[in-house]
Every structure is written in C-alpha cells, then in structure tokens.
Amino acid sequence: MRLMTGILLALLAAVSWGSIVFVSNKLGGDEDSQTIGTTGGALIFALAVFFYKSPDMPTIVWVVGFISGLFWSLGQKNQFGAVRYLGVAKTAPMSTGLQLIGTTFFGVFIFKEWQTKMNYIVGISALVLIIAGALLTSLKQGGEKGEAKSLKKGLLVLLISTVGFVGYVVLIRWFNIDGWAAILPQAIGMATGAFLLTFRDKPFNKYAVRNILTGIIWSTGNLGLLLALPRIGVATSFSLSQTGIVISTIGGLFFLNERKSKKQVWRVLLGCVLIIAGGVLLGVTKR
C-alpha cells in the first residue's frame, strides 16, 4: 500500500508538471503574465500548506528557500518564453532533457552520487538517450524558413531556463532543507523574482489572473513529489515525475496543432520516449 501510494503521488507530480506549459498556453498571455500568475497561484497554495502543516522555520530555511524561489522564477519565465520560438511540443521535452543533464552533473561531481563503475555505465547510457531525445525533438522540418533562427533563440532561452531550474533544485539539496519547510520561502522568492523580471512589461492583466490556476497545478505536483519521496525514494519518484513531458508534447502536437508533418510528429514522440528512458536510467543510478 505504501509503495502504491508513493507511485500515485509521483504520477500526480508528473501529470501536474507535465500540464503546466500546455495549460498556460491555453489560458493565454505572454511569458510575463504567465509567470506572474503562476507564482501567484504557488504563493496562495504555499500559504494554505504552511498554516496547515506549521513546519519548523529557522533562518537558513527562509534564506535558502527564498533564493531557490528566485532561481525558479528565472527558470519558469524563460521556459514560457521558449514556447514563443519552439512551441510547446519542442519546449517540454528539450527543457526536461536539459534539466536532467544539469541535475545529473551536480549529482555526480558535487554530491558524488555515482559510486560504482556500473553507476557510470548506466548513467552515461542515460545521458546519451537524453541527448539523442533532445536532438530528435529539435530537428527542423526541411524547407521551413526561419526555423533555424527560431531554434537558436529558443535554445538560448532554454539554457537560461535550465540554469534557473537546476539552481532551484540544487540549493535545496545542498543545504538539506526539508521540503515541507521550503514551500513558503520558495513561493515568496518565486513571486519576488517574477515581479522583478516582469514588472517593466506590465504583466498584471486578465491573463495573469487566469494563470493563477497554473501555479496551483504546479504546487500540487510539487507537494505530490515531496510526499512521494519518503515512500519510494528520490530515484523512483524523480524519474516518474519526469514522464509528464508526454502530456505537454501530446498537447502541443494534437490540441495546439503545432505540427503538420507526420515525420516531425514521430520524431518528437520518439524523442520523448528516449528522454523518459534516460530519466528512468538516471533514477536507477541513484538507488
């Protein structure tokens, strides 16, 4: 029962996080209003959880959690921004692949998570799958003018996004901050970072209000992962949470009509499969 509950909670994270880019795109707005709305929803959710759970909150939790939230806002704003150049179907798998590579780098060289030769064999194989999957999703359709330029811009924005998302995760791990305690400081940092990054573009509009729902969806996934960790461990829960890219990808392909070529559709779907397989293998190395 404990195992099944943990798996269901991790899948809740996958469904929630996999829906974010797709849902925000359907709700409308640019990356600024989407970011403000998402952080607003996350802050509302965090306040509710804080008053319900009342975790211990030493100064280090507030400081690290706040900075972690600033990194997240950088990552999320630029992930939304990448959709303008790449579309949802490309942004979701490529962003996931880059995040897995980034977190793995810190896991191997900073946290020394790979201890055996088998860890390295499986881990490197996983990275090869992830890179191959990311490359497949980024292949341009022959004859489409301007796509190469958009791809370069989108990749640059995604690299900035990856720095933000990886910093958001690594900081909490580095200081061993409890997940329940981190939720509120993170949300405050997220809201602050979103405001600083977007206020010049006047993001406070009806689309920001709509995207409060996006923030609540994200926070639901975050809580699901936190609850899954003690039940099934970091490796399994993190790997399962990454499978949500299928939702954004399929949403972009079939509901947002971002692809017309069948060849491109199969490339992107195959790329997703490879990235998910790589994520699962990375989870195995952390056992």
Side-chain angles (χ1 to χ4, degrees), residues 149-166:
K149 187 176 181 180
S150 293
L151 177 61
K152 289 179 181 179
K153 289 182 178 179
L155 283 173
L156 178 60
V157 174
L158 270 186
L159 286 174
I160 298 172
S161 172
T162 301
V163 170
F165 281 137
V166 171

Side-chain angles (χ1 to χ4, degrees), residues 16-238:
S16 299
W17 289 349
S19 303
I20 291 173
V21 179
F22 171 66
V23 170
S24 64
N25 191 278
K26 292 294 288 184
L27 291 174
D30 58 16
E31 63 264 33
D32 296 318
S33 58
Q34 289 172 340
T35 302
I36 282 291
T38 299
T39 54
L43 185 58
I44 293 171
F45 188 94
L47 286 168
V49 170
F50 176 77
F51 286 114
Y52 171 76
K53 192 70 177 178
S54 300
D56 184 35
M57 304 287 287
T59 302
I60 187 67
V61 171
W62 284 102
V63 173
V64 174
F66 180 81
I67 297 174
S68 172
L70 291 177
F71 271 102
W72 182 92
S73 62
L74 177 68
Q76 192 61 66
K77 179 184 184 300
N78 284 283
Q79 187 186 64
F80 285 147
V83 174
R84 185 197 320 164
Y85 302 106
L86 303 174
V88 173
K90 278 188 177 181
T91 298
M94 291 175 68
S95 180
T96 297
L98 289 171
Q99 288 177 58
L100 284 169
I101 291 171
T103 53
T104 299
F105 174 85
F106 278 93
V108 174
F109 295 104
I110 305 300
F111 302 124
K112 309 296 182 183
E113 291 184 350
W114 293 0
Q115 299 293 331
T116 68
K117 184 182 293 186
M118 184 57 67
N119 285 156
Y120 280 91
I121 292 174
V122 175
I124 292 173
S125 299
L127 291 177
V128 170
L129 288 174
I130 291 169
I131 292 171
L135 288 174
L136 273 175
T137 62
S138 66
L139 288 176
K140 68 185 182 73
Q141 179 73 10
E144 290 187 4
K145 297 180 179 181
E147 187 171 343
K149 187 176 181 180
S150 293
L151 177 61
K152 289 179 181 179
K153 289 182 178 179
L155 283 173
L156 178 60
V157 174
L158 270 186
L159 286 174
I160 298 172
S161 172
T162 301
V163 170
F165 281 137
V166 171
Y168 149 76
V169 173
V170 169
L171 272 175
I172 296 299
R173 170 72 188 278
W174 190 292
F175 291 93
N176 292 316
I177 304 298
D178 176 66
W180 282 106
I183 289 178
L184 182 58
Q186 274 185 340
I188 295 174
M190 289 160 57
T192 303
F195 176 78
L196 293 175
L197 289 169
T198 65
F199 78 96
R200 290 183 179 179
D201 298 311
K202 300 179 180 180
F204 303 98
N205 50 43
K206 65 179 182 180
Y207 298 111
V209 175
R210 289 181 184 179
N211 276 281
I212 289 175
L213 175 62
T214 307
I216 293 174
I217 292 172
W218 178 86
S219 299
T220 302
N222 192 41
L223 181 60
L225 184 63
L226 290 174
L227 295 176
L229 290 175
R231 290 173 169 83
I232 58 176
V234 174
T236 304
S237 56
F238 182 78

